[in-house]
Each structure stands twice: as structure tokens, then as C-alpha cells.
Amino acid sequence: MRFIFLGVITCLCILTSCSSKKKNNDLGYSTNKEIKVLPATKGNPISIRVPPVFSSMKKESLVKDFTIVELETTEECLIGNIEQILSDSSYLFIFDRNNNAILKFDKEGRFLKKIGKKGQAPSEYINVVDIALDKNKHTISALDLDGRKLITYDYNGKVVGQQQLRFLFNAHRHLNGKLVLNTGLYTNVNTPAVDLNQLVIADSIQNPLYKSFAYGTALRKSEFIKSPQYPLIEFGEGLYYFNMLSPDTVWKISDTSKQPAFVLSFQKNYFEDLDQLEISRALMKPRDQVFDGHFTLTKDFACFGIIENSRYVFPLVYSKTTGNILFGGGLTGDYTLPNAAPQRLINLIGDIMPSFAIDSERFCKVWEPFLLANIVNSWDEKKRGLLDESDKKFVNNLKEDNNPVLFIYNLNKF
Amino acid sequence: MKRLILIFFLFIVVLFTVIVFYNNKLMAFNNDRRDIVVLKDHFLNQINQMKLNINDSISFRDTSGNKIGLSQITNGTRLGIYMDTYGCDMCSKEAIEYVRKKIGISPTIPAPFIIANSNNSNPRDLKLFSRKIPFPLYSIDVRLDKNMMYLSELHKPFYFLLETNGTMSSVFFAQEDINLVFRDDYFAKILNKISIKDAAKSLNIVPKDMDLGEIKIRKKYNITFTIENNTTTNCWITSIKSYCGCITSHKKDNYAIAPGKVDTVTASIVLTDEGQFSRQILLETNYRKEPYIFTVSGTVVGQSQAVL
């Protein structure tokens, strides 16, 4: 009798100790349904027809307000590579991924200080993958994916906040006090509330409010799709988003809705009537023209990187005011004329593909000094003689092992 | 009949495996034909026959941009690693890491050196990279030398031996996409060539220990000792450290001492406990695996009134 009793108790213990139900995640949501899907509004997207044949841009007077910012070079601020440049009214924040460092410069390129510190302490980061500015609060936040935390600093580098990641994301931006998070194709099975969605809008402590750009589990196993390098681009008050599942559309994200902002159409529509998995496969096939996911916006212009014949990236510049398009290998001008006027360096180099938008008016192109020196050294005396006096001085004083230089410029209406 | 088919099938599988295994294992530069040949067997014997001469006009520059002569780099036969940052950055780093693990710290093998093509390498990247490795890094303009030009156009890292007269031999390309079994064999073959026979000549720390006698508590004292490089190659001091926080070295890590030269190291010591003490300064070098040890001892006396 005693053994039967013990046996029954043991069986009960075994049966009640295991549960087939999944535990609720730490967000307090147990199913996907409890977080709203970000509503899509139709909006008024700008449709850009990419020209069939690329041509060089014969526009000598396209660039205006060109300035060169030489980032100060010291042992402390030697930059490996510039992954991101964020700018506020008077500062430039540079995220150097190679050196795992966030550097603060003033707008003239003088180094001010390093933000944050590498380490294992709560206020230190292990490996930063993304930084974002909250211009209202004058703070900068660093996403440390290895340390699973989001650290917030004020502009002087003082830690003002630190929160553990409640789910995985690889890019974040601040929008009206909320966080816009690119969850991409990360597996968030422990937080099913946001899993299988590429974009999440959350409150300031990562409680999800909206989710968007859902995808199927089959896609997760697909080897063909990756997250773009810069999925979230801020411009003025707006925030723009791109993902590979809608490969020709740039979305404008607000804290309560999304709408297509730019739709690129190519000569051939590669993705019409394809499901997500088919799109992911189609992305890997060679195409004549592809949007590479890199876009930059200013008040009057939008610039998209278009890959031609799976090889070179060319800029497609769209004028928002006139609707005109410039698409080509670079600026060209007739500099062989006997009395050609002095030219700025950017005109003679001819590359206007921007790396970032430094503010709402101007683009920014990051140049490595050694590459600039190689280009200028390859010119003949005549072309070098055409350089504007200030740029000639800059070229002559160029040190190849210095920090990158920034070409900051605006464009004339075309 | 079935057995015959099975044996034939097995034979095909074995043959296919052997072909895949031996084919494209390594590439080497054939000087006579001016092209790249794939060596399928007896490669170790052939390695020695491949010799190239580096043009006299080629100049090496260190990461600060200073010109370095060939004799300053080699001083006998040295192992070099060509790093190609343009083609496959990671392959180059892997090739260097392999050497670092394999022979980086050895009492009998001089430190290998790395060369990079100055035309397609960012000098700032090289400067940053040189901080992370215990080997000297030089950039060269490959356009000034035909042989180097041919080799660099492959955009792959390779190992080679370089002599003071500019003879480059034993060029070995380790392809990243195949099994690298031959790499161990290659190093086994070349290590004898570059080993220093006069292992008795080595780095010397003078003096090996120092008795400070009676010192005051919480007062800073300077300690000075010298490192004599009696070897025939550049010796790299990769770190100067102490397990005691009371000792601070005034020297930066990772610098080279030329053969026959003497370097002076100054450190300071501040002690906060009275009584006898013995502390060690460890010098890690690329010359041998074990660190060199400098011992400082004495007796701490007096009250905590001394000023730093």
C-alpha cells in the first residue's frame, strides 16, 4: 500500500513537472496577435523609373557649397573605418566599427572625445553594432549586441541609461520618444510577440507597440537573404526604412504607420507576383539593374545606389522639386578647353555618390586620403593645374595615413 | 559480377578522392615560365628551386613611412608573409595568425615580417593592424619589381623566404578554399633554413636583478635596466608588465631592438607595505616563449609621510 502511494505521488510529480506549453516571454505577451500590426497607409509614393542605359552625367555645375572637412588625426582617434556618421547641430559622432569605438568631433573635424568604454561592466560595451542620436534629449545610444544591452550617453559621454535587450535587433532609431527597431531576420523565439517580424516600434524601454514586415519561417532557413547594411535612415523629422523583401521600395516610418516613400521601377520587374521565398531566391540571381539598398536623402534630393550588371554601383540622383533624374558613372566636364575655369576637387574626381547625409541640406562622402592621393597622382599636369587654389593646397598637404576626409556638398537644381 | 562492379565503383571513388586531394593544393611561382603552376607532387623538392630576385630599387617603408633597407630587414634568411588587403583581407589575417601560432615565439627562429602592397593598402589600416601583431610590417611599391608585381596580381597571401641579397625563394600560396594539409609540411621544410644556429647568442637583461636596499614607504623609485640584443635579428619586445600594480613601465609595448643594440627600460615602483619585498617585471618577446624576468627587491621602511 505504501509503495503504491509513493508510486502515485512520484507519477504525479513527473506529470506536473513538465509542461508542453511554452513559457510566456519576458514582455508579457504570449502570442503574436497581442501586438498590433503597423498599419500601412497608401501615401503618395514617388515613383522613379530607372533609365535603361546608364550614361555619364555631364554636369559641371551640379555640385554647390562644397567643403572639405579633414578629421583630426591623433593616436587616440585613429579611425579604422567609418561605419556611421551622425550629426547634431555642432557635433559629428562617428562609429568606427573596426576599432569598436564611438568618436566625437566638432563640425570642423577637431577630435573632442571618445564616447563610452569597452569592457564588461554594466555601463561598458563589448561590441557596438549600431549607434543612434536622440536629438530631443541630446543623447546618443549604442547597441551592444554581444553584451545584449542598449547604453545611452549624453553628448559628453556620461552614461545616462542602460537597458538590457528584451529581444534581438541590429539597428535602432529614436522617433518621437519611441524606438524603431530593425529585428530583421533575427530569431526571437523566446519572445514570440515580435518574432518573424522585421520591424518593431517600441516604447522607450522596448515594450513593443507595433510590429511590421512579417515573414514566414521558410525564409528564416533561406540562405539567400540578408539584412541590408543600413536599414534605417533618418532624415529631418522623417525615418526611412528598407528591407530586402520589398526590394524596390523605401518606406517612410512614423510611430503609428508606414507608407511607401519611393518606389523604384526597373526595365524588367523581377519580383512581380513572387512570394517571399521566391523573392529571396530571385535576389541572388544576376540582374541588369539592382537597388543595392543604400539610399541617402536631403530636402531636395534622393540618391540611390544602383548596381549595374552585378558589378558597379552608380548613383541615381532624383530631384524632388523637378522630378528629374541623373544616373551615371560620374560627373564629367569638358576640362580640355584651353581656358577652362578652375574646378573644385569633387568636380574633377567626378564621384558624387554620397556615403551619408550630414544634415537636411547636404550630402557627405567619406574619402580615404590614400585613395585621393592615388587619384590625384594619376592625373596629368594639365588636369592637376585646373584645381581650385584651396583644393590644390589641400591636395599638396594630404597625408596618406591620416584619418578620412569628408566631402560635404549640396547639389544645384537640375 | 556484382563484386567487380563494387570494386570498380570503389576504385573510382578512391581515384576521385586522390585527385581532389592532391590537385590545387598549393600554387607556387615558376620563374622560368612567368606564370603560376600547380604543383601536384614532390612539391617540397621543387620549392627550393624557385627563386626570384627582388629589384634593388624596391624600397620598404615601415608604418611611420620611414625607408628601411633590405639588409635591415633580413640579416640572413627571414620568413616573410605577403599580405593582400585588396583581395582577401581575412585570408591574409588567417595566414599571419597561423604563423604567429606556429613559429611566432621561438628562441631559434627570427621573427617573420609582413609586407603589404602600398598601392592598394590603406596606410592607416596598416598602422592600426601593426599594433595588433608582434611582427614588423612594411609596405612596398610592387610596381617597382616585376616579380612582386606578378605575385601581387593574384591577390592572395603567400609565404616566402627572403635573403639579404634580395633572393626570394620558397614561395608558397596557401589557398583558403581547400584543405591546408601541405602548409604544415611547408613549414617543416623551411624552418631549418631560417633557424638561428647560434642559439647561445640571445637577449640579455642587465642586471637580472636589483636590490634597492632600504626604501621609503609610498615613495616613487625609478628602476633602470638594459636589454642587450646579441642575436642577429630584430627582437620585438611585445610587452613589459608586472603582476604587481606597484610597478609602472615608462616604455610602450611592441617595439623592436635591432641586432647588437642595447635598449634601456625605466620603470617606477611605489610600495605601500612595510617589510621585505621582491617584485618581478616580465618582458615578453618574440624571441622565446617564456618571458624574461627582472627582479627587484629590498626593504620598505618608514611611515606613510613620503610624497609621491
Side-chain angles (χ1 to χ4, degrees), chain B residues 28-66:
Chain B
F29 191 74
N30 185 326
N31 194 30
D32 300 329
R33 289 173 54 190
R34 292 272 183 223
D35 59 6
I36 300 302
V37 292
V38 176
L39 302 177
K40 289 177 184 168
D41 50 12
H42 308 302
F43 80 96
L44 290 174
N45 294 330
Q46 293 184 41
I47 278 173
N48 297 331
Q49 294 164 17
M50 291 174 293
K51 288 194 174 177
L52 312 163
N53 277 312
I54 284 194
N55 195 324
D56 290 340
S57 62
I58 204 160
S59 63
F60 294 78
R61 285 179 186 275
D62 64 13
T63 49
S64 304
N66 304 319

CSV table of all heavy atoms in Angstrom, one decimal, chain B residues 28-66:
chain,number,residue,atom,x,y,z
B,28,ALA,N,52.7,27.7,-56.7
B,28,ALA,CA,53.9,28.3,-56.5
B,28,ALA,C,54.3,29.0,-57.8
B,28,ALA,O,53.8,28.7,-58.8
B,28,ALA,CB,55.0,27.3,-56.1
B,29,PHE,N,55.2,29.9,-57.6
B,29,PHE,CA,55.6,30.8,-58.8
B,29,PHE,C,56.7,30.2,-59.5
B,29,PHE,O,57.7,29.8,-58.9
B,29,PHE,CB,56.0,32.2,-58.2
B,29,PHE,CG,56.1,33.2,-59.3
B,29,PHE,CD1,55.0,33.7,-59.9
B,29,PHE,CD2,57.3,33.6,-59.7
B,29,PHE,CE1,55.1,34.7,-60.9
B,29,PHE,CE2,57.5,34.6,-60.6
B,29,PHE,CZ,56.4,35.1,-61.3
B,30,ASN,N,56.5,30.0,-60.8
B,30,ASN,CA,57.6,29.4,-61.6
B,30,ASN,C,58.3,30.5,-62.3
B,30,ASN,O,57.7,31.2,-63.2
B,30,ASN,CB,57.0,28.4,-62.6
B,30,ASN,CG,58.1,27.7,-63.4
B,30,ASN,OD1,59.1,28.3,-63.7
B,30,ASN,ND2,57.9,26.4,-63.7
B,31,ASN,N,59.5,30.7,-62.0
B,31,ASN,CA,60.2,31.9,-62.5
B,31,ASN,C,60.5,31.8,-64.0
B,31,ASN,O,60.5,32.8,-64.7
B,31,ASN,CB,61.5,32.1,-61.7
B,31,ASN,CG,62.2,33.4,-62.0
B,31,ASN,OD1,61.4,34.4,-62.2
B,31,ASN,ND2,63.5,33.5,-61.9
B,32,ASP,N,60.7,30.6,-64.5
B,32,ASP,CA,61.1,30.5,-65.9
B,32,ASP,C,59.9,30.8,-66.8
B,32,ASP,O,60.1,31.5,-67.8
B,32,ASP,CB,61.6,29.1,-66.2
B,32,ASP,CG,62.8,28.8,-65.3
B,32,ASP,OD1,63.5,29.7,-65.0
B,32,ASP,OD2,63.0,27.6,-64.9
B,33,ARG,N,58.8,30.3,-66.4
B,33,ARG,CA,57.7,30.4,-67.3
B,33,ARG,C,56.9,31.7,-67.1
B,33,ARG,O,55.9,32.0,-67.8
B,33,ARG,CB,56.7,29.2,-67.2
B,33,ARG,CG,57.4,27.9,-67.8
B,33,ARG,CD,56.5,26.7,-67.5
B,33,ARG,NE,55.2,26.9,-67.9
B,33,ARG,CZ,54.2,26.1,-67.6
B,33,ARG,NH1,54.4,25.1,-66.9
B,33,ARG,NH2,53.0,26.3,-68.1
B,34,ARG,N,57.2,32.4,-66.1
B,34,ARG,CA,56.5,33.6,-65.7
B,34,ARG,C,55.0,33.4,-65.6
B,34,ARG,O,54.2,34.2,-66.0
B,34,ARG,CB,56.7,34.7,-66.8
B,34,ARG,CG,58.1,35.2,-66.8
B,34,ARG,CD,58.3,36.3,-65.9
B,34,ARG,NE,59.6,36.8,-66.0
B,34,ARG,CZ,60.4,37.1,-64.9
B,34,ARG,NH1,59.9,37.0,-63.7
B,34,ARG,NH2,61.6,37.6,-65.0
B,35,ASP,N,54.6,32.2,-65.1
B,35,ASP,CA,53.2,32.0,-64.8
B,35,ASP,C,53.1,31.2,-63.6
B,35,ASP,O,54.1,30.8,-63.0
B,35,ASP,CB,52.5,31.4,-66.0
B,35,ASP,CG,53.1,30.1,-66.4
B,35,ASP,OD1,54.0,29.6,-65.7
B,35,ASP,OD2,52.6,29.6,-67.4
B,36,ILE,N,51.9,31.0,-63.2
B,36,ILE,CA,51.6,30.2,-62.0
B,36,ILE,C,51.4,28.7,-62.3
B,36,ILE,O,50.6,28.4,-63.2
B,36,ILE,CB,50.4,30.7,-61.3
B,36,ILE,CG1,50.6,32.2,-60.9
B,36,ILE,CG2,50.0,29.9,-60.0
B,36,ILE,CD1,51.7,32.5,-60.0
B,37,VAL,N,52.1,27.9,-61.7
B,37,VAL,CA,51.9,26.4,-62.0
B,37,VAL,C,51.4,25.7,-60.7
B,37,VAL,O,51.6,26.2,-59.6
B,37,VAL,CB,53.2,25.8,-62.4
B,37,VAL,CG1,53.7,26.3,-63.7
B,37,VAL,CG2,54.3,25.9,-61.4
B,38,VAL,N,50.6,24.7,-61.0
B,38,VAL,CA,50.1,23.9,-59.8
B,38,VAL,C,51.0,22.7,-59.6
B,38,VAL,O,51.3,22.0,-60.6
B,38,VAL,CB,48.7,23.5,-60.1
B,38,VAL,CG1,48.2,22.6,-59.0
B,38,VAL,CG2,47.8,24.7,-60.3
B,39,LEU,N,51.6,22.6,-58.5
B,39,LEU,CA,52.5,21.5,-58.2
B,39,LEU,C,51.7,20.4,-57.6
B,39,LEU,O,51.0,20.6,-56.6
B,39,LEU,CB,53.6,22.0,-57.3
B,39,LEU,CG,54.4,23.1,-57.7
B,39,LEU,CD1,55.4,23.5,-56.7
B,39,LEU,CD2,55.1,22.8,-59.0
B,40,LYS,N,51.7,19.2,-58.2
B,40,LYS,CA,50.9,18.2,-57.7
B,40,LYS,C,51.6,17.2,-56.8
B,40,LYS,O,51.1,16.6,-55.9
B,40,LYS,CB,50.3,17.4,-58.9
B,40,LYS,CG,49.2,18.3,-59.6
B,40,LYS,CD,48.6,17.6,-60.8
B,40,LYS,CE,47.7,18.6,-61.4
B,40,LYS,NZ,47.3,18.1,-62.8
B,41,ASP,N,52.9,17.0,-57.0
B,41,ASP,CA,53.6,16.1,-56.1
B,41,ASP,C,55.1,16.6,-56.1
B,41,ASP,O,55.5,17.4,-56.8
B,41,ASP,CB,53.6,14.7,-56.6
B,41,ASP,CG,53.9,14.5,-58.1
B,41,ASP,OD1,54.4,15.5,-58.7
B,41,ASP,OD2,53.6,13.5,-58.6
B,42,HIS,N,55.8,16.0,-55.1
B,42,HIS,CA,57.2,16.4,-54.9
B,42,HIS,C,57.4,17.9,-54.7
B,42,HIS,O,58.4,18.4,-55.1
B,42,HIS,CB,58.1,15.9,-56.0
B,42,HIS,CG,57.9,14.4,-56.3
B,42,HIS,ND1,58.1,13.5,-55.4
B,42,HIS,CD2,57.6,13.8,-57.5
B,42,HIS,CE1,57.9,12.3,-55.9
B,42,HIS,NE2,57.5,12.5,-57.2
B,43,PHE,N,56.4,18.5,-54.2
B,43,PHE,CA,56.5,20.0,-54.2
B,43,PHE,C,57.5,20.5,-53.3
B,43,PHE,O,58.1,21.5,-53.5
B,43,PHE,CB,55.1,20.6,-53.8
B,43,PHE,CG,54.8,20.5,-52.3
B,43,PHE,CD1,55.1,21.6,-51.6
B,43,PHE,CD2,54.3,19.4,-51.7
B,43,PHE,CE1,54.9,21.6,-50.2
B,43,PHE,CE2,54.1,19.4,-50.4
B,43,PHE,CZ,54.4,20.5,-49.6
B,44,LEU,N,57.8,19.7,-52.2
B,44,LEU,CA,58.8,20.2,-51.3
B,44,LEU,C,60.2,20.3,-51.9
B,44,LEU,O,61.0,21.2,-51.6
B,44,LEU,CB,58.9,19.3,-50.1
B,44,LEU,CG,57.7,19.4,-49.2
B,44,LEU,CD1,57.7,18.3,-48.1
B,44,LEU,CD2,57.5,20.7,-48.6
B,45,ASN,N,60.5,19.4,-52.9
B,45,ASN,CA,61.7,19.4,-53.6
B,45,ASN,C,61.8,20.6,-54.5
B,45,ASN,O,62.8,21.2,-54.8
B,45,ASN,CB,62.0,18.2,-54.3
B,45,ASN,CG,62.2,17.0,-53.4
B,45,ASN,OD1,62.7,17.2,-52.3
B,45,ASN,ND2,61.8,15.8,-53.8
B,46,GLN,N,60.6,20.9,-55.1
B,46,GLN,CA,60.6,22.0,-56.1
B,46,GLN,C,60.6,23.3,-55.5
B,46,GLN,O,61.0,24.3,-56.1
B,46,GLN,CB,59.3,21.8,-56.9
B,46,GLN,CG,59.4,20.5,-57.8
B,46,GLN,CD,58.2,20.5,-58.7
B,46,GLN,OE1,57.7,21.5,-59.3
B,46,GLN,NE2,57.6,19.3,-58.8
B,47,ILE,N,60.1,23.4,-54.2
B,47,ILE,CA,60.1,24.7,-53.6
B,47,ILE,C,61.5,25.4,-53.6
B,47,ILE,O,61.6,26.6,-53.9
B,47,ILE,CB,59.6,24.6,-52.1
B,47,ILE,CG1,58.1,24.5,-52.1
B,47,ILE,CG2,60.0,25.8,-51.3
B,47,ILE,CD1,57.5,24.2,-50.8
B,48,ASN,N,62.5,24.6,-53.3
B,48,ASN,CA,63.8,25.2,-53.2
B,48,ASN,C,64.3,25.7,-54.6
B,48,ASN,O,65.2,26.6,-54.6
B,48,ASN,CB,64.8,24.1,-52.7
B,48,ASN,CG,64.4,23.7,-51.4
B,48,ASN,OD1,63.8,24.5,-50.6
B,48,ASN,ND2,64.7,22.5,-51.0
B,49,GLN,N,63.8,25.2,-55.6
B,49,GLN,CA,64.3,25.6,-57.0
B,49,GLN,C,63.7,26.9,-57.4
B,49,GLN,O,64.2,27.5,-58.4
B,49,GLN,CB,64.0,24.5,-58.0
B,49,GLN,CG,64.7,23.2,-57.7
B,49,GLN,CD,64.1,22.1,-58.5
B,49,GLN,OE1,63.4,22.3,-59.4
B,49,GLN,NE2,64.5,20.9,-58.1
B,50,MET,N,62.7,27.4,-56.8
B,50,MET,CA,62.0,28.6,-57.3
B,50,MET,C,62.6,29.8,-56.6
B,50,MET,O,62.5,30.0,-55.4
B,50,MET,CB,60.5,28.5,-57.0
B,50,MET,CG,59.8,27.5,-57.8
B,50,MET,SD,58.1,27.3,-57.4
B,50,MET,CE,58.3,26.7,-55.8
B,51,LYS,N,63.3,30.6,-57.4
B,51,LYS,CA,64.0,31.7,-56.8
B,51,LYS,C,63.7,33.0,-57.6
B,51,LYS,O,63.6,32.9,-58.8
B,51,LYS,CB,65.5,31.5,-56.7
B,51,LYS,CG,65.8,30.5,-55.6
B,51,LYS,CD,67.3,30.5,-55.3
B,51,LYS,CE,67.5,29.6,-54.1
B,51,LYS,NZ,68.9,29.5,-53.7
B,52,LEU,N,63.5,34.0,-56.9
B,52,LEU,CA,63.2,35.3,-57.6
B,52,LEU,C,64.1,36.3,-57.0
B,52,LEU,O,64.5,36.2,-55.8
B,52,LEU,CB,61.8,35.8,-57.4
B,52,LEU,CG,60.7,34.7,-57.6
B,52,LEU,CD1,59.4,35.2,-56.9
B,52,LEU,CD2,60.4,34.6,-59.0
B,53,ASN,N,64.4,37.3,-57.7
B,53,ASN,CA,65.2,38.4,-57.1
B,53,ASN,C,64.4,39.7,-57.0
B,53,ASN,O,63.8,40.1,-57.9
B,53,ASN,CB,66.5,38.7,-58.0
B,53,ASN,CG,67.6,37.7,-57.7
B,53,ASN,OD1,67.9,37.5,-56.5
B,53,ASN,ND2,68.1,37.1,-58.7
B,54,ILE,N,64.4,40.2,-55.8
B,54,ILE,CA,63.7,41.5,-55.6
B,54,ILE,C,64.6,42.6,-56.1
B,54,ILE,O,65.8,42.6,-55.8
B,54,ILE,CB,63.4,41.7,-54.1
B,54,ILE,CG1,62.2,40.8,-53.8
B,54,ILE,CG2,63.1,43.1,-53.8
B,54,ILE,CD1,61.5,41.1,-52.5
B,55,ASN,N,64.0,43.4,-56.9
B,55,ASN,CA,64.7,44.5,-57.5
B,55,ASN,C,65.4,45.4,-56.5
B,55,ASN,O,64.8,45.7,-55.4
B,55,ASN,CB,63.7,45.3,-58.3
B,55,ASN,CG,64.3,46.2,-59.3
B,55,ASN,OD1,65.3,46.8,-59.0
B,55,ASN,ND2,63.6,46.4,-60.4
B,56,ASP,N,66.6,45.9,-56.8
B,56,ASP,CA,67.3,46.8,-55.8
B,56,ASP,C,66.5,48.1,-55.6
B,56,ASP,O,66.6,48.7,-54.5
B,56,ASP,CB,68.7,47.2,-56.4
B,56,ASP,CG,69.6,45.9,-56.4
B,56,ASP,OD1,69.2,45.0,-55.6
B,56,ASP,OD2,70.5,45.9,-57.1
B,57,SER,N,65.7,48.5,-56.6
B,57,SER,CA,65.1,49.8,-56.5
B,57,SER,C,63.9,49.7,-55.5
B,57,SER,O,63.4,50.8,-55.1
B,57,SER,CB,64.6,50.3,-57.8
B,57,SER,OG,63.7,49.4,-58.3
B,58,ILE,N,63.4,48.5,-55.2
B,58,ILE,CA,62.3,48.4,-54.3
B,58,ILE,C,62.6,48.9,-52.9
B,58,ILE,O,63.7,48.6,-52.4
B,58,ILE,CB,61.7,47.0,-54.3
B,58,ILE,CG1,60.2,47.0,-54.0
B,58,ILE,CG2,62.5,46.1,-53.4
B,58,ILE,CD1,59.5,45.7,-54.4
B,59,SER,N,61.8,49.7,-52.4
B,59,SER,CA,62.1,50.2,-51.0
B,59,SER,C,61.0,49.8,-50.1
B,59,SER,O,59.8,49.8,-50.4
B,59,SER,CB,62.3,51.7,-51.0
B,59,SER,OG,61.1,52.3,-51.4
B,60,PHE,N,61.4,49.4,-48.9
B,60,PHE,CA,60.5,49.0,-47.8
B,60,PHE,C,60.3,50.3,-46.9
B,60,PHE,O,61.2,51.0,-46.7
B,60,PHE,CB,61.0,47.9,-47.0
B,60,PHE,CG,61.2,46.6,-47.7
B,60,PHE,CD1,62.3,46.4,-48.6
B,60,PHE,CD2,60.3,45.6,-47.6
B,60,PHE,CE1,62.4,45.2,-49.3
B,60,PHE,CE2,60.5,44.4,-48.2
B,60,PHE,CZ,61.5,44.2,-49.1
B,61,ARG,N,59.0,50.4,-46.5
B,61,ARG,CA,58.7,51.5,-45.6
B,61,ARG,C,58.0,50.9,-44.4
B,61,ARG,O,57.2,50.1,-44.5
B,61,ARG,CB,57.8,52.6,-46.2
B,61,ARG,CG,58.6,53.4,-47.2
B,61,ARG,CD,57.6,54.4,-47.9
B,61,ARG,NE,58.3,55.2,-48.9
B,61,ARG,CZ,59.1,56.2,-48.7
B,61,ARG,NH1,59.2,56.7,-47.5
B,61,ARG,NH2,59.7,56.8,-49.7
B,62,ASP,N,58.4,51.4,-43.2
B,62,ASP,CA,57.6,51.0,-42.0
B,62,ASP,C,56.3,51.7,-41.9
B,62,ASP,O,56.0,52.6,-42.8
B,62,ASP,CB,58.5,51.1,-40.8
B,62,ASP,CG,58.9,52.5,-40.4
B,62,ASP,OD1,58.3,53.4,-41.0
B,62,ASP,OD2,59.7,52.7,-39.6
B,63,THR,N,55.5,51.5,-40.9
B,63,THR,CA,54.2,52.1,-40.8
B,63,THR,C,54.3,53.6,-40.5
B,63,THR,O,53.3,54.2,-40.6
B,63,THR,CB,53.4,51.4,-39.8
B,63,THR,OG1,54.1,51.3,-38.6
B,63,THR,CG2,52.9,50.0,-40.2
B,64,SER,N,55.4,54.1,-40.1
B,64,SER,CA,55.6,55.5,-40.0
B,64,SER,C,56.0,56.2,-41.2
B,64,SER,O,56.2,57.4,-41.3
B,64,SER,CB,56.6,55.8,-38.8
B,64,SER,OG,56.2,55.2,-37.7
B,65,GLY,N,56.3,55.4,-42.3
B,65,GLY,CA,56.7,56.0,-43.5
B,65,GLY,C,58.2,56.1,-43.7
B,65,GLY,O,58.7,56.6,-44.7
B,66,ASN,N,59.0,55.6,-42.8
B,66,ASN,CA,60.4,55.6,-42.9
B,66,ASN,C,61.0,54.5,-43.8
B,66,ASN,O,60.5,53.4,-43.8
B,66,ASN,CB,61.1,55.4,-41.5
B,66,ASN,CG,60.6,56.4,-40.5
B,66,ASN,OD1,60.4,57.6,-40.8
B,66,ASN,ND2,60.3,56.0,-39.3
